[in-house]
Amino acid sequence: MTMDGYGLLLLIPVMMVLAALPSTSVALVVVRSARLGVAHGLWVAAGIVVADLLFAVLALWGMTELAQQLGGVFTLVRIAAGVWLVWFGITLIRSRGTALKAESINGSSKTVSFLAGLAVTLGDIKAIVFYASLFPLFVDMHTPDAMDLVAVLLITVFSVGGVKAVYALLAERITRHGNPGSQQPLSLVAGASMIGAGTWLVARP
C-alpha cells in the first residue's frame, strides 16, 4: 500500500466531511455532551473512533468478507445499541422537567458513554464495506506498507475524533450559555431522536 502526499492530504477532508454528516453517532455525542457535560461527549467520540479504527483495519487488511461472515455478531451489537438508545431516549423525555444536578453529572459513568459510542458504531457492519470502497481511491491496496497503514489509521483518529469532539464542545457550550428554559424542549427533541434512532437500528435488516 503506497500513498503519496497528495492522497494523504485529500483523504483528510473527505473523512472529516463524512464524519460531520448528521448521523446517530453525531446525535449521541451531542446529547451526552449537552446533558452530562463535554467529557461524556468526548468519551462517546472515543468509542466511535475505536470502532472506526477496527473497521478501517479490517478493510485495509482485506478482511471485509470475513467481517460479513461474522455479521451475526455485529447484528447482536446493533440490536443492543438500539435498545440502549431507546432506553436513553425515554430517560431523557422523562427527565425533561428536572434540572440536572452537579452530583448526578459527576456520578454518571463515562464508561457508559464510551461503550455507547462503540456499540452504536459497531452496529453498522456496512461501514467496513464503505471503508473498503473508500480507501482504494486514495491508497494503493496491492502493496501493503506499515507506515502507510499507520498514516491511514492516524487520519481516521484525527478526522473522525476531531469532528466528533467539535460537536461535543459546541453542544456543551450552547447548553451552558443558553436559556435554562430551553432544557425541556432540548430533552424532548433529543429523547425522541434517540428513540427513533434506536428503533431504526433494531428494526433495519
Side-chain angles (χ1 to χ4, degrees):
M1 173 179 20
T2 59
M3 179 191 301
D4 56 23
Y6 178 75
L8 181 67
L9 293 176
L10 190 59
L11 181 59
I12 293 175
V14 170
M15 292 283 288
M16 293 183 71
V17 169
L18 293 172
L21 293 176
S23 63
T24 303
S25 63
V26 168
L28 186 59
V29 169
V30 169
V31 169
R32 292 294 280 184
S33 184
R35 291 287 292 175
L36 297 173
V38 67
H40 283 267
L42 294 177
W43 275 103
V44 173
I48 294 169
V49 169
V50 169
D52 272 332
L53 284 176
L54 173 61
F55 287 154
V57 168
L58 290 175
L60 289 169
W61 260 304
M63 299 177 68
T64 304
E65 183 176 350
L66 173 61
Q68 290 177 319
Q69 292 175 357
L70 296 174
V73 175
F74 289 96
T75 298
L76 293 177
V77 173
R78 172 173 55 81
I79 293 174
V83 171
W84 187 90
L85 284 175
V86 171
W87 171 82
F88 185 58
I90 293 174
T91 301
L92 282 175
I93 293 175
R94 292 180 62 183
S95 66
R96 67 185 184 278
T98 305
L100 287 179
K101 298 179 180 180
E103 57 267 25
S104 67
I105 295 177
N106 294 333
S108 299
S109 172
K110 294 181 177 63
T111 301
V112 171
S113 295
F114 174 82
L115 292 177
L118 183 70
V120 165
T121 309
L122 286 180
D124 188 7
I125 182 65
K126 295 179 182 178
I128 300 178
V129 179
F130 166 77
Y131 277 124
S133 302
L134 175 67
F135 288 151
L137 300 176
F138 305 93
V139 180
D140 182 0
M141 305 286 283
H142 300 292
T143 55
D145 179 86
M147 292 303 296
D148 288 339
L149 174 60
V150 171
V152 172
L153 297 182
L154 288 177
I155 289 173
T156 302
V157 173
F158 171 79
S159 302
V160 177
V163 169
K164 306 300 185 187
V166 169
Y167 272 116
L169 292 169
L170 289 177
E172 192 270 344
R173 174 165 295 187
I174 291 173
T175 302
R176 177 155 49 89
H177 294 287
N179 185 349
S182 66
Q183 287 290 328
Q184 184 167 341
L186 172 63
S187 296
L188 183 61
V189 172
S193 300
M194 292 297 97
I195 292 173
T199 302
W200 176 75
L201 279 176
V202 171
R204 77 177 194 180

